[in-house]
Amino acid sequence: MSLLLTAALREKLPTSQVITDELRRLAYGTDASFYRLIPQVIAIIENEAQARHVLATAHAQQVPVTFRAAGTSLSGQAISDGILALIGEGFASCEIAADGGSVRLGPGIVGGEVNRRLAPLGRKIGPDPASIGAAKIGGIAANNASGMCCGTAQNSYRTLAGLRVMLTDGTLLDTEDPLSRDAFAKSHAVLLGELERLGQATRANPRLAERIRQKFKIKNTTGYSLNALVDFEDPFDILAHLMIGSEGTLGFISRITYQTVVEDPCKASALVFFPDIRSACEAVIRLKTQPVAAVELLDRPALRSVQDKPGLPAVMRSLGDDAAALLIEVRAGDAAAVADRIAAVHGALAGVATVEPIQFSTDPATCEMYWKVRKGTFPAVGAMRKAGTTVLIEDVAFPIAALADATLDLQALLRKHAYDEAIIFGHALEGNLHFVITQDFATPSEIDRYARFMDELCEMVVSRYDGSLKAEHGTGRNMAPFVELEWGREATELMHRIKTLFDPAGLLNPGVILNANPQAHLAHLKPMPAAEDIIDRCIECGFCEPLCPSHRLTLSPRQRITSVRELARREAAGEAAGKIAEDYAYMGLDTCAGCGLCSTACPVGIDTGDLTRRLRGRRLNDGARAVNAWTGRNFGVLAGAARAGLTLGHAAAAVVGQKTLAKLSGGAWKLPMPRAGHAPAAIHASGDPVVYFPTCGGRIFGPTAAGQPQLGDVVLELLRRAGYAPILPDGFDQLCCGQMLASKGLALEADAMSAQLEAALLKASDNGRHPVIMDASTCTARMQQHLAGRLQLFDFHEFAHDALLPRLMIVRQAEPVALHINCSVRKTGSDAKLRALLKACAETVIEPAAVTCCGFAGDRGFAVPELNQHALRHLKPALPAGCACGVSTNRTCEIGLTAESGIDYRSIAYLLEKCSRPLEIPC
């Protein structure tokens, strides 16, 4: 790391945006590929002026620079050993045209978020990569990413309406702005003139021009978008389209405008099984001219990898060894048009051998089950691989007429090189095949096996079928040595001329797309040592990151796993853990919410919170364990002490002021801070018995304002009002589910607390005869897992939706209400009931999309307040005027939400109580 480089960057970048610590440089040295480069420095850029400064610094210091969005790319194009320019939230802009026909985007916004905003208009962006829930627009455009439905007609290249790009000298060009074009024409006349000449020369060369056209009839992201030279004559159009798929090697795209495409509301899917690959590929050829939205091919090993998962067709388990399947989807604007398209598919496939008759379904659940087959194959291989190996997913493309032979040849090649676990699937309409293998890069013999396989693969794809070595994942470092093999010398020299024209110093993402080292694909391989059994399956894809509350504050789940793997590697090698271990204590453990939302996006289901809890537990010495165990056995004493602390805190705040106390406490004292709570008193009511356990959060932390009722009292009143006879467990104020100890890594001690609570609930419910409800989602989820069905246990909002609403007279509130769906509700899948309950109580519901986990995480909001603040940084701007209250289902979450939003968040029980009060009937 160069001190001069760091100092130069900090001349115009805030210190917080220049990252030099070893831990985060390691963490950001990882993308979704199997390569690693450690940057000298990370510069977070939030605007074009900062991007220009980074480029100027790179030139002054002669240090390479790589622009990175989400880092979900698979070919090693988002890493650097120089400056890694991380695209910040300042670039997460989105401007939708009034009719939805176009959308202007910053490179820092996630593709899935763009589609969420376009959905009400019945539109979406064309590119649809599998990573769209995490991948950002900058990477989607720079890699010309595609996916299952967009094909070659709706990718970034084909749907580009304009862009704003910064060249290596800091010059900005906005192709949609006539004034910018005029200024650029004067300042960069030489560059534009050379682009015009290159285009003319290419079009005048019939053999080269036809070669380019032919190569882009199928998916192709190998090398630069040379089709720009034959598709366009205007040098501005050529320049703009060369930027698409250039992987940050020609310039920085600071904004892009897409023509959007229609998102049809009606869909139908069919999972069709064939006796062999050839029959399936014959069907693909027939479907190419039909009105189908997607046709996904799966070979027999791919089907076998998921055939035992619940809900999938039983026939999958009895298929022959040569069998294959096509997942076919049709879409249209209405049901009648969908029926017409289904009929067209049946007609086209008449006479093609299938294992079973073709049957389409419009049932969303059935269609989802079909797509689970396709989407479950990759994670299935990843989950089963040997610890210490990595999962490689490669993509190639062939002319569709040769798809059957190419697939069979690919299967044979995989067997030849002993990739027995390999599976093949792909976007069949485009001749695009993905194959997944597991690879160990820890030994020279294994690296040699991979090298021999790659050499033969490239020779087969190019020489035998004239296919694409990279169909949609980008060239990156992985395929850079083979660009000339695919394109030939003449076209490759043309690419070198383009690179030199835009980046004469060779500082923009060097080694990517074009690389003179024939062994470049075998260099800088990422170590993947076995570290912890609960994370060894991680493929470091980054899908988890948008959901993580600490992402971009400290570390994301992917980065935590990367760091733990490096620490394991150092320990195994006898190396000192160094500063990485020191910094990981705060960045990896203290600021992890442990919420588990990462597992909901992870292809292999890893909950990084489990890792955090395990490592926190190992950190505790015998003394700390003993103290925590004592609090578990004497929880009532702890609860009493906490209430006393709140009372004393409010007394102190009355003297020094709330803000002063908040500052003196380092943010632990919240503005506002709840009053001390109390245990609710039992009430006598007639009706159906139901056990209610008031959780400790609501018992310790009372309402925010004086005079407001306690949560426990509100729930008891609601139960009475609905005709229930609530039962409070004996000694409930001495009980806790154990979540507070579980979050610290004290699993055994936490389980002991859960067992105590279980015994009390069993007794109160007459051994399960009566239902049990709890009023905090995190605690409910823990006890539901602990009880494993031994009791009817409901979260309050679930019981309210199912059992209270039908018995209550509701008057909906006219004022808008903000909803926060906490992590436990999301993970248990009960969010639909929470939304329905709220919609029954409020006419307008506001659910800020940019907020996932609140980051309060039990006591983290007090101990590490910056985590809560960072997680909710987008909350207040997302709340419209007139929204004066919010609801959730966890008391501690509500404390943080109230502090960061400025409005009072309370349990949804309060709103339900207010809206169900008996109407006063006048005399």
Side-chain angles (χ1 to χ4, degrees):
M1 182 182 69
S2 167
L3 295 178
L4 287 176
L5 177 60
T6 301
L9 288 169
R10 284 177 174 160
E11 287 178 8
K12 294 187 178 180
L13 292 181
T15 300
S16 62
Q17 290 176 220
V18 181
I19 297 172
T20 59
D21 60 88
E22 186 183 5
L23 175 58
R24 283 184 290 174
R25 287 191 296 115
L26 166 77
Y28 281 110
T30 289
D31 63 4
S33 74
F34 49 95
Y35 299 100
R36 174 181 291 166
L37 287 174
I38 307 299
Q40 295 181 45
V41 63
I42 299 164
I44 302 173
I45 54 171
E46 300 288 357
N47 53 53
E48 290 173 340
Q50 292 179 353
R52 183 180 289 111
H53 177 61
V54 168
L55 286 170
T57 303
H59 277 277
Q61 302 281 333
Q62 284 297 288
V63 176
V65 60
T66 296
F67 291 92
R68 171 170 168 151
T72 56
S73 47
L74 294 162
S75 301
Q77 57 266 62
I79 54 177
S80 173
D81 56 4
I83 301 171
L84 188 65
L86 203 59
I87 298 171
E89 292 180 347
F91 283 106
S93 58
C94 178
E95 303 171 46
I96 301 173
D99 63 354
S102 65
V103 60
R104 183 172 292 155
L105 302 166
I109 190 167
V110 173
E113 172 62 16
V114 178
N115 282 344
R116 188 195 66 79
R117 298 186 191 186
L118 287 169
L121 300 170
R123 311 290 292 186
K124 63 179 180 178
I125 59 172
D128 61 340
S131 59
I132 198 166
K136 295 181 179 178
I137 291 298
I140 290 172
N143 291 293
N144 198 21
S146 51
M148 287 184 281
C149 297
C150 86
T152 56
Q154 296 182 345
N155 59 23
S156 294
Y157 182 93
R158 294 297 179 191
T159 58
L160 175 67
L163 52 73
R164 188 172 170 91
V165 61
M166 182 176 292
L167 300 187
T168 184
D169 63 0
T171 301
L172 269 171
L173 167 64
D174 186 341
T175 65
E176 298 179 276
D177 181 356
L179 293 177
S180 177
R181 289 167 67 109
D182 288 346
F184 192 84
K186 294 174 183 175
S187 65
H188 288 70
V190 173
L191 185 149
L192 290 174
E194 184 60 20
L195 285 178
E196 190 169 20
R197 284 188 291 274
L198 287 176
Q200 290 170 347
T202 303
R203 293 189 298 274
N205 183 334
R207 185 177 57 79
L208 179 59
E210 180 56 28
R211 173 71 176 153
I212 292 170
R213 293 188 184 97
Q214 193 67 30
K215 290 294 293 176
F216 286 103
K217 283 184 179 178
I218 60 175
K219 286 188 178 183
N220 193 332
T221 58
T222 308
Y224 289 118
S225 300
L226 294 183
N227 44 343
L229 298 173
V230 297
D231 291 343
F232 303 99
E233 296 183 6
D234 186 322
F236 285 103
D237 289 333
I238 293 173
L239 185 154
H241 287 82
L242 280 172
M243 288 295 160
I244 302 299
S246 64
E247 302 177 27
T249 63
L250 302 181
F252 167 56
I253 300 172
S254 63
R255 196 182 68 200
I256 185 170
T257 302
Y258 282 113
Q259 298 293 344
T260 61
V261 301
V262 173
E263 172 68 310
D264 289 313
C266 299
K267 303 173 184 179
S269 298
L271 184 59
V272 186
F273 300 104
F274 297 85
D276 51 51
I277 283 285
R278 196 167 296 282
S279 300
C281 291
E282 180 186 344
V284 172
I285 293 170
R286 295 191 184 195
L287 291 172
K288 181 67 175 175
T289 58
Q290 299 302 316
V292 290
V295 178
E296 294 291 296
L297 173 70
L298 300 101
D299 74 349
R300 183 65 183 103
L303 294 170
R304 190 177 291 115
S305 72
V306 294
Q307 67 186 20
D308 293 323
K309 291 187 178 295
L312 298 182
V315 69
M316 289 174 62
R317 292 186 285 276
S318 61
L319 294 171
D321 289 342
D322 298 325
L326 294 179
L327 177 53
I328 306 168
E329 183 168 280
V330 295
R331 301 178 178 181
D334 54 57
V338 167
D340 290 342
R341 294 184 175 186
I342 290 173
V345 171
H346 278 285
L349 297 186
V352 177
T354 60
V355 174
E356 293 182 327
I358 300 170
Q359 187 172 354
F360 275 88
S361 176
T362 57
D363 174 55
T366 303
C367 293
E368 182 181 0
M369 179 188 71
Y370 290 160
W371 281 98
K372 281 181 179 178
V373 176
R374 162 64 176 84
K375 295 177 180 178
T377 52
F378 176 43
V381 175
M384 293 185 295
R385 78 184 193 273
K386 178 184 173 184
T389 63
T390 189
V391 176
L392 308 187
I393 177 169
E394 295 293 353
D395 77 311
V396 292
F398 305 95
I400 192 171
L403 187 59
D405 288 335
T407 305
L408 293 169
D409 282 349
L410 180 55
Q411 287 178 327
L413 188 61
L414 290 164
R415 287 193 298 269
K416 176 182 176 181
H417 290 277
Y419 291 110
D420 300 322
E421 77 292 346
I423 64 171
I424 298 174
F425 57 87
H427 317 315
L429 283 180
E430 307 302 327
N432 179 195
L433 296 181
H434 298 291
F435 60 91
V436 180
I437 59 176
T438 63
Q439 177 67 51
D440 186 352
F441 287 121
T443 63
S445 62
E446 276 293 290
I447 295 173
D448 181 63
R449 176 171 71 122
Y450 175 71
R452 286 183 283 108
F453 168 73
M454 283 294 289
D455 288 343
E456 289 193 46
L457 171 72
C458 294
E459 185 65 29
M460 184 265 283
V461 172
V462 172
S463 300
R464 198 173 306 168
Y465 296 105
D466 196 20
S468 305
L469 293 173
K470 282 292 182 183
E472 57 182 10
H473 291 171
T475 309
R477 301 172 189 283
N478 181 237
M479 209 54 72
F482 303 98
V483 170
E484 186 170 337
L485 173 67
E486 175 173 337
W487 276 99
R489 181 176 297 277
E490 187 176 24
T492 305
E493 287 179 353
L494 185 56
M495 294 182 193
H496 280 284
R497 289 177 66 183
I498 291 168
K499 170 66 173 175
T500 302
L501 183 63
F502 282 93
D503 181 28
L507 296 179
L508 292 180
N509 216 5
V512 168
I513 294 186
L514 299 174
N515 198 315
N517 178 6
Q519 302 296 307
H521 61 301
L522 305 176
H524 309 297
L525 297 170
K526 183 199 307 181
M528 295 283 278
E532 300 283 346
D533 59 327
I534 53 178
I535 62 164
D536 284 339
R537 303 187 314 277
C538 176
I539 54 180
E540 300 189 359
C541 63
F543 287 11
C544 54
E545 292 185 339
L547 298 176
C548 178
S550 64
H551 179 43
R552 295 285 179 101
L553 171 68
T554 51
L555 298 176
S556 69
R558 165 169 65 172
Q559 293 171 330
R560 287 184 168 90
I561 291 173
T562 295
S563 305
V564 168
R565 281 174 167 162
E566 173 61 12
L567 290 170
R569 186 200 65 77
R570 292 187 180 189
E571 183 178 11
E575 300 175 15
K579 195 72 166 58
I580 286 182
E582 293 178 34
D583 289 344
Y584 191 81
Y586 170 75
M587 294 189 193
L589 300 182
D590 293 347
T591 56
C592 176
C595 62
L597 280 187
C598 49
S599 67
T600 65
C602 176
V604 293
I606 294 171
D607 183 346
T608 313
D610 290 339
L611 170 69
T612 295
R613 286 181 282 274
R614 176 183 287 185
L615 298 181
R616 282 175 181 167
R618 287 180 190 165
R619 265 204 316 180
L620 296 174
N621 56 34
D622 291 342
R625 284 184 173 277
V627 169
N628 279 287
W630 183 90
T631 61
R633 294 191 301 271
N634 300 273
F635 183 75
V637 177
L638 176 67
R643 291 174 186 136
L646 283 168
T647 301
L648 288 172
H650 278 285
V655 176
V656 302
Q658 295 279 355
K659 291 184 178 180
T660 300
L661 186 56
K663 187 175 181 180
L664 290 172
S665 67
W669 186 263
K670 300 300 173 186
L671 297 174
M673 192 71 167
R675 307 277 168 171
H678 60 75
I683 64 171
H684 297 287
S686 59
D688 299 324
V690 58
V691 176
Y692 168 44
F693 175 65
T695 57
C696 57
R699 302 194 316 257
I700 293 172
F701 298 104
T704 301
Q708 292 180 339
Q710 287 274 141
L711 173 59
D713 296 333
V714 171
V715 172
L716 288 171
E717 168 57 22
L718 277 169
L719 292 171
R720 182 205 62 77
R721 188 179 297 170
Y724 286 94
I727 302 167
L728 296 174
D730 292 341
F732 70 89
D733 199 30
Q734 311 298 314
L735 299 173
C736 169
C737 71
Q739 179 63 28
M740 67 165 194
L741 295 186
S743 66
K744 294 178 172 61
L746 294 163
L748 293 177
E749 294 84 350
D751 287 345
M753 296 183 75
S754 298
Q756 277 187 304
L757 178 56
E758 177 185 1
L761 296 180
L762 279 169
K763 179 181 177 183
S765 66
D766 193 9
N767 286 317
R769 286 185 60 213
H770 311 313
V772 180
I773 61 174
M774 295 171 66
D775 58 20
S777 298
T778 301
C779 305
T780 306
R782 173 173 172 79
M783 287 306 296
Q784 284 173 337
Q785 184 177 21
H786 173 81
L787 291 165
R790 292 191 294 274
L791 283 176
Q792 301 176 70
L793 178 61
F794 301 93
D795 203 4
F796 171 78
H797 74 275
E798 295 176 289
F799 190 80
H801 175 275
D802 295 346
L804 300 187
L805 275 183
R807 298 188 179 197
L808 296 172
M809 295 290 292
I810 305 294
V811 178
R812 297 172 78 198
Q813 175 176 303
E815 295 82 8
V817 178
L819 170 64
H820 176 71
I821 298 178
N822 62 56
C823 311
S824 295
V825 173
R826 292 181 190 273
K827 288 171 63 181
T828 57
S830 62
D831 49 323
K833 289 186 177 182
L834 179 55
R835 289 189 182 95
L837 177 62
L838 181 53
K839 287 178 181 177
C841 297
E843 293 181 4
T844 305
V845 175
I846 308 299
E847 189 176 341
V851 178
T852 54
C853 170
C854 71
F856 208 91
D859 65 351
R860 296 290 87 190
F862 299 122
V864 193
E866 61 270 29
L867 175 61
N868 181 226
Q869 293 160 6
H870 179 78
L872 296 180
R873 64 196 182 281
H874 300 302
L875 175 58
K876 194 169 185 177
L879 298 176
C883 183
C885 68
V887 298
S888 192
T889 58
N890 259 343
R891 185 66 189 105
T892 50
C893 296
E894 293 150 13
I895 294 169
L897 290 160
T898 299
E900 297 306 317
S901 69
I903 67 172
D904 192 13
Y905 273 81
R906 298 193 291 177
S907 167
I908 195 168
Y910 285 90
L911 182 62
L912 181 61
E913 189 280 325
K914 175 185 174 184
C915 294
S916 64
R917 290 173 186 168
L919 297 175
E920 293 185 6
I921 302 175
C923 298

